[in-house]
Amino acid sequence: MEDIEAIAALQDPVRRRLYEYVAAQGREVGRNEAAEAAGVARTLAAHHLDRLAEAGLLESGSRRLTGRSGPGAGRPAKVYTRARAERSVSLPARDYRTAAELLAEAAEQAGLDAELCAAARRRGEALRGSGAPCGGLEQAVEMLAARGYEPHLEGVEGATGAAARVVRMRNCPFHAVAERFPPLVCGMNLALLEGLLGTDGPVRARMDARPGDCCVVVENSKNNGD
Protein backbone atom coordinates (compact mmCIF):
# COMPACT_ATOMS: atom_id res chain seq x y z
CA MET A 1 0.00 0.00 0.00
CA GLU A 2 2.88 2.41 0.70
CA ASP A 3 4.09 2.20 -2.90
CA ILE A 4 0.57 2.82 -4.21
CA GLU A 5 0.18 5.88 -1.99
CA ALA A 6 3.61 7.19 -3.00
CA ILE A 7 2.91 6.87 -6.72
CA ALA A 8 -0.56 8.35 -6.24
CA ALA A 9 1.14 11.49 -4.91
CA LEU A 10 2.33 12.18 -8.47
CA GLN A 11 -1.22 12.45 -9.79
CA ASP A 12 -1.24 16.20 -9.15
CA PRO A 13 0.28 17.83 -12.26
CA VAL A 14 2.24 20.49 -10.34
CA ARG A 15 3.63 17.91 -7.95
CA ARG A 16 4.65 15.72 -10.84
CA ARG A 17 6.45 18.59 -12.61
CA LEU A 18 8.35 19.36 -9.44
CA TYR A 19 9.32 15.74 -8.93
CA GLU A 20 10.46 15.31 -12.52
CA TYR A 21 12.56 18.48 -12.33
CA VAL A 22 14.28 17.51 -9.07
CA ALA A 23 14.88 13.95 -10.31
CA ALA A 24 16.41 15.20 -13.56
CA GLN A 25 19.01 17.43 -11.88
CA GLY A 26 21.01 14.75 -10.11
CA ARG A 27 21.82 17.19 -7.29
CA GLU A 28 20.17 19.10 -4.45
CA VAL A 29 17.50 21.56 -5.57
CA GLY A 30 16.19 24.47 -3.51
CA ARG A 31 12.59 25.63 -3.31
CA ASN A 32 13.12 28.80 -5.34
CA GLU A 33 14.77 26.93 -8.21
CA ALA A 34 12.08 24.23 -8.24
CA ALA A 35 9.28 26.80 -8.14
CA GLU A 36 10.76 28.73 -11.07
CA ALA A 37 11.22 25.54 -13.09
CA ALA A 38 7.62 24.45 -12.48
CA GLY A 39 6.19 27.93 -13.04
CA VAL A 40 4.48 28.16 -9.64
CA ALA A 41 4.78 30.30 -6.52
CA ARG A 42 7.43 29.37 -3.98
CA THR A 43 4.89 28.69 -1.24
CA LEU A 44 2.98 26.27 -3.48
CA ALA A 45 6.21 24.58 -4.54
CA ALA A 46 7.28 24.21 -0.90
CA HIS A 47 3.95 22.58 -0.04
CA HIS A 48 4.20 20.04 -2.85
CA LEU A 49 7.90 19.34 -2.32
CA ASP A 50 7.25 18.56 1.34
CA ARG A 51 4.36 16.28 0.34
CA LEU A 52 6.68 14.43 -2.02
CA ALA A 53 9.22 14.06 0.80
CA GLU A 54 6.49 12.75 3.13
CA ALA A 55 5.54 10.20 0.47
CA GLY A 56 9.15 9.01 0.30
CA LEU A 57 9.70 10.12 -3.30
CA LEU A 58 12.13 12.91 -2.37
CA GLU A 59 14.69 13.30 0.39
CA SER A 60 15.06 16.69 2.06
CA GLY A 61 17.86 18.42 3.90
CA SER A 62 19.20 21.91 4.43
CA ARG A 63 22.28 23.85 3.40
CA ARG A 64 23.33 27.41 2.59
CA LEU A 65 22.78 27.99 -1.11
CA THR A 66 25.02 31.07 -1.14
CA GLY A 67 28.16 28.97 -0.73
CA ARG A 68 29.26 31.20 2.16
CA SER A 69 29.56 30.39 5.87
CA GLY A 70 29.77 32.32 9.09
CA PRO A 71 27.96 35.54 10.09
CA GLY A 72 25.99 37.12 7.28
CA ALA A 73 25.83 33.93 5.22
CA GLY A 74 22.10 33.63 5.74
CA ARG A 75 19.98 30.80 7.06
CA PRO A 76 20.27 27.31 5.56
CA ALA A 77 17.66 26.65 2.89
CA LYS A 78 15.67 23.47 2.47
CA VAL A 79 16.84 21.36 -0.45
CA TYR A 80 15.53 18.20 -2.11
CA THR A 81 16.93 15.24 -4.03
CA ARG A 82 15.27 12.16 -5.45
CA ALA A 83 14.92 9.36 -2.91
CA ARG A 84 17.05 6.27 -3.46
CA ALA A 85 14.23 3.83 -2.67
CA GLU A 86 12.48 2.18 -5.61
CA ARG A 87 8.70 2.23 -5.98
CA SER A 88 6.66 -0.21 -8.04
CA VAL A 89 3.08 -1.35 -8.19
CA SER A 90 1.77 -4.61 -9.65
CA LEU A 91 -1.85 -5.72 -9.52
CA PRO A 92 -2.06 -8.58 -8.77
CA ALA A 93 1.23 -8.81 -6.88
CA ARG A 94 4.24 -10.05 -8.84
CA ASP A 95 7.83 -10.62 -7.73
CA TYR A 96 10.03 -10.37 -10.81
CA ARG A 97 12.96 -9.08 -8.76
CA THR A 98 13.34 -12.36 -6.87
CA ALA A 99 13.18 -14.31 -10.13
CA ALA A 100 15.84 -12.02 -11.66
CA GLU A 101 18.11 -12.45 -8.64
CA LEU A 102 17.74 -16.24 -8.68
CA LEU A 103 18.54 -16.38 -12.40
CA ALA A 104 21.53 -14.06 -11.92
CA GLU A 105 22.81 -16.20 -9.05
CA ALA A 106 22.51 -19.37 -11.13
CA ALA A 107 24.22 -17.74 -14.13
CA GLU A 108 27.07 -16.45 -11.97
CA GLN A 109 27.64 -19.81 -10.29
CA ALA A 110 27.56 -21.62 -13.64
CA GLY A 111 29.99 -19.14 -15.21
CA LEU A 112 27.55 -18.10 -17.90
CA ASP A 113 28.77 -14.51 -18.21
CA ALA A 114 29.70 -14.84 -21.89
CA GLU A 115 26.41 -16.52 -22.78
CA LEU A 116 24.44 -13.85 -20.92
CA CYS A 117 26.31 -11.04 -22.66
CA ALA A 118 25.74 -12.66 -26.05
CA ALA A 119 22.01 -12.91 -25.33
CA ALA A 120 21.93 -9.28 -24.13
CA ARG A 121 23.72 -8.09 -27.28
CA ARG A 122 21.21 -9.96 -29.45
CA ARG A 123 18.35 -8.37 -27.49
CA GLY A 124 19.84 -4.91 -28.01
CA GLU A 125 20.13 -5.54 -31.73
CA ALA A 126 16.52 -6.75 -31.81
CA LEU A 127 15.38 -3.58 -30.03
CA ARG A 128 17.22 -1.47 -32.61
CA GLY A 129 15.66 -3.51 -35.40
CA SER A 130 16.80 -2.92 -38.96
CA GLY A 131 17.92 0.64 -38.23
CA ALA A 132 21.49 1.81 -38.71
CA PRO A 133 23.85 2.16 -35.71
CA CYS A 134 23.24 5.20 -33.54
CA GLY A 135 24.28 8.33 -35.43
CA GLY A 136 25.61 10.52 -32.62
CA LEU A 137 25.42 11.44 -28.96
CA GLU A 138 22.16 13.38 -29.29
CA GLN A 139 20.47 10.37 -30.88
CA ALA A 140 21.97 8.17 -28.17
CA VAL A 141 20.34 10.39 -25.54
CA GLU A 142 16.96 9.90 -27.22
CA MET A 143 17.37 6.14 -27.50
CA LEU A 144 18.54 5.76 -23.90
CA ALA A 145 15.80 8.00 -22.55
CA ALA A 146 13.23 5.76 -24.22
CA ARG A 147 14.70 2.82 -22.28
CA GLY A 148 14.52 4.60 -18.91
CA TYR A 149 18.24 5.33 -18.42
CA GLU A 150 17.75 9.08 -17.75
CA PRO A 151 20.76 10.12 -19.89
CA HIS A 152 22.44 13.51 -19.92
CA LEU A 153 25.40 14.96 -21.80
CA GLU A 154 28.43 15.78 -19.70
CA GLY A 155 31.73 17.36 -20.61
CA VAL A 156 34.95 15.66 -19.54
CA GLU A 157 38.60 16.61 -20.02
CA GLY A 158 40.39 14.35 -22.46
CA ALA A 159 44.01 13.24 -22.48
CA THR A 160 44.95 16.25 -24.60
CA GLY A 161 43.18 18.66 -22.27
CA ALA A 162 40.42 19.29 -24.77
CA ALA A 163 36.84 18.96 -23.58
CA ALA A 164 35.01 15.87 -24.80
CA ARG A 165 31.40 14.92 -24.26
CA VAL A 166 30.01 11.69 -22.92
CA VAL A 167 26.51 10.51 -22.16
CA ARG A 168 26.08 9.49 -18.53
CA MET A 169 22.94 7.91 -17.16
CA ARG A 170 21.42 8.71 -13.79
CA ASN A 171 19.32 5.55 -13.72
CA CYS A 172 20.18 1.90 -14.21
CA PRO A 173 17.03 -0.11 -15.04
CA PHE A 174 18.73 -3.16 -13.50
CA HIS A 175 19.94 -1.40 -10.34
CA ALA A 176 18.43 -3.77 -7.76
CA VAL A 177 20.00 -6.89 -9.30
CA ALA A 178 23.22 -5.07 -10.24
CA GLU A 179 23.81 -4.25 -6.58
CA ARG A 180 23.96 -7.96 -5.75
CA PHE A 181 25.72 -9.20 -8.89
CA PRO A 182 27.66 -6.20 -10.27
CA PRO A 183 30.13 -7.88 -12.67
CA LEU A 184 27.47 -10.10 -14.19
CA VAL A 185 24.70 -7.53 -14.55
CA CYS A 186 26.93 -4.60 -15.52
CA GLY A 187 28.51 -6.74 -18.23
CA MET A 188 25.04 -7.68 -19.44
CA ASN A 189 24.02 -4.02 -19.45
CA LEU A 190 27.08 -3.04 -21.51
CA ALA A 191 26.38 -5.80 -24.04
CA LEU A 192 22.73 -4.76 -24.28
CA LEU A 193 23.70 -1.16 -25.05
CA GLU A 194 26.33 -2.28 -27.55
CA GLY A 195 23.61 -4.12 -29.41
CA LEU A 196 21.16 -1.23 -29.11
CA LEU A 197 23.57 1.50 -30.24
CA GLY A 198 25.73 -0.59 -32.55
CA THR A 199 29.47 -1.17 -32.40
CA ASP A 200 30.41 0.03 -35.88
CA GLY A 201 28.92 3.53 -35.77
CA PRO A 202 30.12 6.93 -34.55
CA VAL A 203 29.41 6.20 -30.87
CA ARG A 204 30.41 3.44 -28.51
CA ALA A 205 29.39 2.24 -25.04
CA ARG A 206 32.05 1.45 -22.43
CA MET A 207 32.34 0.79 -18.72
CA ASP A 208 32.99 3.80 -16.50
CA ALA A 209 31.37 3.18 -13.13
CA ARG A 210 30.66 6.19 -10.92
CA PRO A 211 28.67 6.22 -7.67
CA GLY A 212 25.04 7.15 -8.27
CA ASP A 213 25.19 6.63 -12.05
CA CYS A 214 24.78 3.71 -14.42
CA CYS A 215 28.06 1.80 -14.87
CA VAL A 216 28.11 2.44 -18.64
CA VAL A 217 28.81 5.67 -20.51
CA VAL A 218 28.43 6.43 -24.21
CA GLU A 219 30.99 8.49 -26.10
CA ASN A 220 32.10 9.23 -29.63
CA SER A 221 34.02 6.30 -31.06
CA LYS A 222 37.09 8.45 -31.63
CA ASN A 223 36.17 10.78 -28.72
CA ASN A 224 36.75 13.81 -30.94
CA GLY A 225 33.39 15.59 -30.69
CA ASP A 226 30.26 15.29 -32.80
Side-chain angles (χ1 to χ4, degrees), residues 11-131:
Q11 184 175 1
D12 183 281
V14 173
R15 199 172 298 161
R16 183 162 186 168
R17 289 203 305 273
L18 288 165
Y19 173 79
E20 289 175 344
Y21 178 78
V22 173
Q25 304 316 301
R27 56 174 172 79
E28 294 177 328
V29 175
R31 287 172 167 175
N32 288 339
E33 179 185 348
E36 183 177 352
V40 298
R42 183 184 183 280
T43 52
L44 180 61
H47 166 74
H48 284 305
L49 289 167
D50 285 339
R51 287 291 301 275
L52 289 167
E54 291 169 7
L57 295 171
L58 296 180
E59 295 176 356
S60 63
S62 61
R63 67 177 178 86
R64 289 188 173 90
L65 298 178
T66 61
R68 296 179 296 170
S69 60
R75 297 177 57 186
K78 200 163 188 179
V79 292
Y80 303 83
T81 56
R82 179 167 59 181
R84 294 181 177 273
E86 295 182 11
R87 301 289 183 176
S88 63
V89 174
S90 177
L91 298 173
R94 298 287 189 263
D95 190 5
Y96 300 113
R97 175 174 174 175
T98 296
E101 290 178 347
L102 289 171
L103 290 168
E105 182 178 355
E108 187 174 74
Q109 291 180 352
L112 297 177
D113 303 57
E115 289 81 358
L116 178 61
C117 287
R121 192 170 289 106
R122 289 194 299 270
R123 175 58 64 92
E125 292 169 350
L127 291 171
R128 175 159 51 95
S130 59

Side-chain angles (χ1 to χ4, degrees), residues 115-185:
E115 289 81 358
L116 178 61
C117 287
R121 192 170 289 106
R122 289 194 299 270
R123 175 58 64 92
E125 292 169 350
L127 291 171
R128 175 159 51 95
S130 59
C134 177
L137 294 182
E138 282 74 15
Q139 185 182 359
V141 167
E142 295 177 3
M143 296 172 70
L144 293 167
R147 304 298 306 172
Y149 283 92
E150 299 184 4
H152 65 283
L153 279 166
E154 182 177 289
V156 296
E157 186 174 330
T160 62
R165 295 196 301 168
V166 300
V167 178
R168 289 194 178 272
M169 295 163 269
R170 294 194 175 100
N171 181 51
C172 171
F174 317 110
H175 174 72
V177 187
E179 279 193 317
R180 288 197 57 189
F181 308 95
L184 181 77
V185 178

